[in-house]
Amino acid sequence: MSALAPGSTVGILGGGQLGRMLAVAAAQLGFDVAIYTDEEDSPASRVSARTIVGAYDDAAKLADFARGVEVVTTEFENVPAATAEALIAAGATVRPDPRVLAVAQDRFEEKSFFAANGIATPPFAKVDSQADLDAAIAKIGARAILKTRRLGYDGRGQIRINTAANAEGAHAKLGAPGILEGFCAFEREVSIIAARAVGGDIAFFDLNENEHSGGILSRTTLPSKAPAAVTETAQAAARKVLQAFDYVGVLTIEFFVMPDGGIIANEMAPRVHNSGHWTIEGALTSQFEQHIRCIAGWPLGLTTRIADIEMINLIGDDANDWAKYAAEPGAHLHLYGKREARPGRKMGHVTRLIR
């Protein structure tokens, strides 16, 4: 596929806030956007040219969607890989390759992929039964986290295990195939956001320093306080992933930085990422524009950061303070158009550029 001309239609699987910001970036480059989502009145659909609402396994609606777009991408990694494969079968170009979705959707497969490619991980073990959990604790240790293999995000689907005794019945409580991961006494959390173009060129945004509350990203700051060697190691890990999948688009990997300066991969997201929202105002090319450039076959944009950054998430009722942020000089307020604020729901973000 040659580079897409302005006026072409970009398809996005998923209708959340990441799809919304991707759609805005695509429009700025002259593209129309079509959304495929299982959600009525989605945030992304309200800023896009067309929306098809349907189940992610509805073959007829997916085929209709494929006929109306030149390229398809995903705005969240839990879109079934089979959905992307069905679109390919219907003649669509899908970027990134659905193979990476299949890996990123399963924590055990993801950790196994990292380990196979020389990317450090916490100790981990597959847990399909209480007996598996007991054996994993005996091997890894009792200070660990039991997680669902699939569909967990923002702290959901996780059980912290501090002693062998409180692991009793934990597998049944989890209620799904799991993975036990050894606890990491990390010093800080960081993420690297990378992009790879159709021709193989790779660019990195500056390393993000992240703070979480209740398993949800609450604050990102730049520059990171991590040593320069951390950035180099994180970039090398991201490069391995990008090249392994012949990846096209933006990809994020989250890491724990250990007291000795080593880094341990937590998870990857084959998409734009919450920790990169600052790039809209804080970089010469935003992560959203960069992703659209990649999937459209355009050259990469410059990722230069133009200021020090603080980005905070507005979660749940935090968004009710929109007037305060709107009145703050230099604050860049983004609200996602979600109709209802709920505890733990990402409603928007605010970016401050510090010069």
Side-chain angles (χ1 to χ4, degrees):
M1 186 184 84
S2 58
L4 295 183
S8 301
T9 300
V10 172
I12 299 175
L13 294 174
Q17 67 265 18
L18 298 179
R20 182 184 178 100
M21 288 181 273
L22 282 169
V24 170
Q28 289 174 339
L29 297 180
F31 296 114
D32 288 336
V33 173
I35 301 295
Y36 189 99
T37 177
D38 60 359
E39 177 186 2
E40 297 282 353
D41 190 33
S42 71
S45 69
R46 294 199 299 276
V47 298
S48 300
R50 178 181 181 226
T51 298
I52 293 180
V53 178
Y56 287 114
D57 61 357
D58 188 323
K61 285 188 175 181
L62 289 170
D64 180 34
F65 183 67
R67 286 190 291 269
V69 301
E70 277 72 43
V71 67
V72 178
T73 193
T74 56
E75 66 110 29
F76 72 112
E77 64 268 34
N78 286 325
V79 170
T83 299
E85 290 162 358
L87 289 168
I88 292 173
T93 297
V94 178
R95 291 172 173 163
D97 190 296
R99 292 179 301 145
V100 73
L101 286 178
V103 171
Q105 286 168 3
D106 185 315
R107 286 190 171 104
F108 180 76
E109 295 298 329
E110 181 182 60
K111 291 293 191 303
S112 298
F113 171 82
F114 285 153
N117 284 273
I119 300 170
T121 72
F124 66 95
K126 185 191 298 186
V127 174
D128 292 329
S129 66
Q130 185 65 38
D132 286 347
L133 177 57
D134 294 340
I137 289 172
K139 179 180 179 181
I140 292 173
R143 199 171 183 208
I145 302 175
L146 178 63
K147 302 178 180 180
T148 56
R149 285 178 60 173
R150 302 178 67 86
L151 299 178
Y153 63 97
D154 286 346
R156 297 172 176 87
Q158 300 186 16
I159 300 173
R160 188 177 294 272
I161 296 174
N162 293 317
T163 67
N166 69 21
E168 185 175 347
H171 179 261
K173 183 178 179 181
L174 190 71
I179 177 175
L180 187 74
E181 297 180 8
F183 182 79
C184 294
F186 57 85
E187 187 174 82
R188 53 177 42 91
E189 297 175 87
V190 299
S191 59
I192 192 74
I193 298 176
R196 186 172 182 270
V198 170
D201 290 340
I202 293 174
F204 299 98
F205 291 94
D206 285 3
L207 191 73
N208 308 296
E209 181 139 344
N210 302 323
E211 299 172 17
H212 288 77
S213 177
I216 302 173
L217 180 67
S218 58
R219 181 172 180 260
T220 294
T221 56
L222 292 96
S224 169
K225 297 181 179 66
V230 168
T231 296
E232 295 170 6
T233 306
Q235 289 183 353
R239 189 180 297 275
K240 287 180 180 179
V241 176
L242 293 170
Q243 293 175 339
F245 289 103
D246 194 19
Y247 194 95
V248 175
V250 165
L251 171 124
T252 307
I253 307 179
E254 297 178 355
F255 296 94
F256 300 129
V257 181
M258 305 305 289
D260 65 359
I263 62 172
I264 293 176
N266 179 29
E267 61 185 22
M268 67 178 176
R271 55 168 171 79
V272 290
H273 194 259
N274 194 171
S275 66
H277 289 353
W278 64 268
T279 61
I280 297 173
E281 290 85 22
L284 293 183
T285 306
S286 77
Q287 64 167 343
F288 302 100
E289 178 182 335
Q290 193 79 296
H291 188 74
I292 297 299
R293 282 174 166 266
C294 290
I295 66 172
W298 287 26
L300 295 173
L302 292 174
T303 58
T304 307
R305 177 169 56 87
I306 63 173
D308 292 352
I309 302 291
E310 178 188 45
M311 188 280 296
I312 60 170
N313 268 341
L314 302 179
I315 299 169
D317 289 339
D318 292 347
N320 294 337
D321 291 331
W322 61 267
K324 177 185 74 173
Y325 294 115
E328 180 184 328
H332 299 271
L333 174 64
H334 295 259
L335 295 173
Y336 303 150
K338 296 180 180 180
R339 303 301 192 191
E340 179 186 2
R342 297 193 297 267
R345 193 180 199 195
K346 295 173 182 174
M347 301 298 295
H349 71 269
V350 177
T351 300
R352 298 183 175 100
L353 275 58
I354 304 162
R355 295 183 172 87

